[in-house]
């Protein structure tokens, strides 16, 4: 490796080195190191983000196994922002629960290292190594609250189902390697060529897609999501809903367009099915939920379905719409979980939706900001969530996937019901006791995300330009 190679890999080197340094700091200083470790972890993520921004053009390393291009940089920035904001929000929660430990930021940094590798993966082996590096840390995070039965159960469910999905993905990768003769994405694409893809490669692709669908919580591989979201500690749930989704979706997009560009008709059918199934389940299954974290789990399943609509288009415009959707989804999710982490009454955290009754009278600003995020999640004009759905549906229509776009619009109307139900409870039900004062970090994230969602329509061009630049790198 040359010095230039190390420069390209700088973000991936900063994160594990930072994680090891924080681990040694935690071991040396024991319990009083936790707050410092979180602050330093956020600094490490900021340094990694600065290293990502320093790069330009397209670079390949290790004989093409890793690629760093504009698409990778955009998705890495979204992943780092999701992880950094989650850490920033988590301190008050852990401290109030008397569970602030230095291991939490260390595990987050190690998980993000795997995500960065996933986003730059241009080879089946690199893909699997990055995926497992991310997943092993996530399994521990899900069961982070060791004395909680719910948290331990969430970690065990995620581990068992994650191992199953990894096995399916690995089996698919072995089939693709066996029938194409290579693990590198460009070589796999060349082996397929313009001819009809080999049946063995298609079978491998189906198993590979099953593994990816698990990581992004797409139906029918979504079964872990509601239980893990509900059982894991709320900061961990917020992290699950933000950063890993960005990385897994980036890996899915790159794999399909870099390794299977001539098999679009084949994988388009799979993606369209995953999109419709995810949108449908996310819309209908959330209606009866009373736990807000469980509702957010079904909401995330539905939103991954909408993002898959853009991917199903199989075009550059479709990829750009996916990037726009994921960026807006990230902002909405972080704001929503900032609100959920602020729900504390009599020293206990509240998760029941009906406990939000009359919030507009006891804390009008908090209710307004969360209400704005809910309107945006529902796709109401002219909030950012509306534009996110508009771009993915437009990409599907331009690709002549009219039925998919129509089904998406109809299911979006159904999904709006459970968001509006929460707004009705906050604004029209009799008020309960007020919640405890909102900690500053949570108030800051909730306000910032609410304003970004409300004011996006005034100046959307920077995000659209970044999305177009990222998408063009794959074509």
């Amino acid at each position: 490796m040359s010095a230039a190679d190390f420069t390209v890999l700088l973000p991936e080197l900063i994160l594990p080195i930072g994680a090891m340094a924080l681990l040694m700091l935690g071991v040396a200083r024991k319990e009083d190191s936790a707050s410092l470790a979180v602050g330093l972890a956020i600094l490490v993520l900021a340094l990694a983000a600065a290293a990502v921004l320093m790069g330009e053009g397209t670079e390949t390393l290790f004989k093409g196994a890793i690629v760093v291009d504009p698409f990778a940089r955009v998705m890495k920035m979204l992943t780092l922002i999701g992880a950094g904001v989650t850490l920033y929000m988590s301190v008050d929660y852990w401290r109030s629960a008397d569970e602030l430990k230095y291991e939490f930021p260390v595990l987050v940094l190690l998980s993000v290292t795997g995500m960065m590798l996933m986003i730059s993966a241009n080879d089946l082996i690199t893909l699997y190594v990055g995926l497992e590096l991310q997943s092993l840390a996530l399994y521990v995070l899900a069961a982070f609250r060791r004395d909680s039965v719910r948290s331990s159960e969430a970690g065990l469910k995620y581990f068992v189902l994650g191992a199953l999905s990894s096995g399916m993905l690995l089996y698919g990768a072995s089939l693709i390697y066996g029938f194409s003769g290579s693990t590198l994405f460009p070589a796999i694409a060349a082996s397929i060529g313009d001819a009809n893809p080999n049946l063995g490669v298609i079978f491998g692709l189906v198993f590979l897609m099953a593994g990816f669908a698990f990581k992004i919580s797409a139906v029918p591989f979504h079964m872990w999501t509601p239980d893990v979201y509900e059982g894991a500690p709320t900061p961990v749930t917020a992290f699950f809903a933000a950063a890993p989704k960005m990385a897994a979706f980036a890996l899915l997009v790159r794999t399909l367009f870099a390794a299977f560009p001539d098999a679009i008709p084949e994988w388009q059918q799979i993606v369209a099915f995953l999109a419709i199934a995810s949108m449908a389940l996310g819309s209908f299954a959330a209606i009866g939920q009373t736990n807000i974290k469980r509702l957010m789990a079904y909401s995330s399943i539905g939103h991954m379905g909408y993002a898959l609509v853009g991917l199903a288009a199989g075009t550059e415009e479709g990829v750009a719409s996916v990037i726009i959707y994921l960026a807006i989804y990230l902002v909405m999710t972080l704001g929503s979980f900032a609100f959920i982490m602020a729900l504390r009454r009599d020293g206990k955290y509240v998760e029941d939706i009906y406990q939000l009754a009359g919030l507009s009278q006891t804390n009008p600003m908090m209710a307004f900001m969360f209400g704005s995020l809910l309107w945006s999640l529902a796709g109401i004009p002219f909030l950012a969530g509306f534009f996110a759905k508009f771009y993915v549906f437009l990409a599907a229509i331009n690709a002549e996937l009219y039925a998919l776009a129509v089904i998406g619009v109809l299911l979006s109307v159904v999904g709006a019901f459970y968001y509006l139900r929460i707004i009705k409870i906050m604004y029209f039900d009799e008020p309960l006791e007020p919640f405890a004062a909102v900690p500053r970090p949570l108030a800051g994230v909730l306000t910032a995300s609410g304003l970004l969602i409300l004011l996006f329509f005034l100046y959307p061009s920077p995000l659209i330009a970044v999305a177009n630049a990222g998408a063009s790198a794959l074509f």
Side-chain angles (χ1 to χ4, degrees), residues 157-424:
K157 282 181 178 177
Y158 189 41
F159 171 70
V160 172
L161 293 171
L164 174 65
S165 77
S166 294
M168 294 173 73
L169 186 141
L170 202 56
Y171 180 59
S174 66
L175 283 175
I176 293 168
Y177 169 64
F179 283 96
S180 68
S182 178
T183 59
L184 287 167
F185 290 171
I188 294 169
S191 72
I192 295 173
D194 296 326
N196 290 328
N198 185 294
L199 189 60
V201 173
I202 298 303
F203 265 101
L205 177 58
V206 170
F207 279 102
L208 204 67
M209 291 286 287
F212 291 149
F214 177 89
K215 298 303 177 185
I216 64 170
S217 309
V219 177
F221 303 97
H222 66 287
M223 66 290 288
W224 63 272
T225 315
D227 292 334
V228 172
Y229 272 46
E230 183 182 2
T234 307
V236 175
T237 305
F239 180 64
F240 273 45
K245 293 281 172 64
M246 304 296 117
F249 225 106
L251 179 61
L252 172 61
V253 171
R254 185 181 296 282
T255 303
L256 293 181
F257 284 101
F260 303 97
D262 295 313
I264 288 178
E266 284 76 16
W267 60 252
Q268 198 174 46
Q269 300 172 47
I270 303 172
V271 173
F273 167 75
L274 293 174
I276 293 170
S278 300
M279 289 186 295
L281 184 121
S283 296
F284 287 102
I287 290 174
Q289 302 302 321
T290 57
N291 183 289
I292 194 164
K293 285 165 65 178
R294 202 172 180 85
L295 184 140
M296 289 302 295
Y298 285 110
S299 171
S300 76
I301 292 168
H303 282 283
M304 289 302 102
Y306 295 117
L308 285 167
V309 171
L311 179 59
T315 60
E316 185 175 333
E317 181 190 9
V319 175
S321 72
V322 169
I323 296 172
I324 293 169
Y325 197 98
L326 291 175
I328 293 172
Y329 168 77
L330 178 66
V331 175
M332 296 188 295
T333 300
L334 292 173
S336 299
F337 276 97
F339 173 83
I340 293 169
M341 279 192 258
L343 300 178
R344 193 153 58 99
R345 182 185 286 141
D346 300 327
K348 295 181 180 178
Y349 284 95
V350 174
E351 294 180 7
D352 193 292
I353 290 168
Y354 292 103
Q355 294 296 314
L356 303 177
L359 182 64
S360 62
Q361 297 179 45
T362 57
N363 194 330
M365 184 54 69
M366 187 179 177
F368 174 74
M369 286 301 175
F370 186 52
S372 301
L373 291 168
L374 291 173
W375 282 106
S376 183
L377 285 164
I380 304 297
F382 287 89
L383 300 173
F386 165 77
F387 291 99
K389 290 181 179 177
F390 171 78
Y391 286 119
V392 294
F393 291 149
L394 182 64
I397 290 168
N398 289 339
E400 299 183 358
L401 300 175
Y402 304 117
L404 181 60
V406 170
I407 292 170
V409 171
L410 293 175
L411 290 173
S412 185
V413 174
V414 176
F417 170 79
Y418 57 83
Y419 297 120
L420 300 183
R421 180 168 63 106
I422 300 175
I423 294 174
K424 174 261 177 188

Side-chain angles (χ1 to χ4, degrees), residues 44-67:
V44 170
L45 290 168
L47 290 173
V52 170
L53 291 173
M54 283 166 47
E56 56 183 20
T58 299
E59 301 277 355
T60 55
L61 300 171
F62 304 113
K63 297 183 179 180
I66 290 177
V67 60

Side-chain angles (χ1 to χ4, degrees), residues 7-12 14 45-55 73:
T7 304
V8 174
L9 275 181
L10 196 56
E12 285 80 359
I14 288 172
L45 290 168
L47 290 173
V52 170
L53 291 173
M54 283 166 47
R73 293 188 189 97

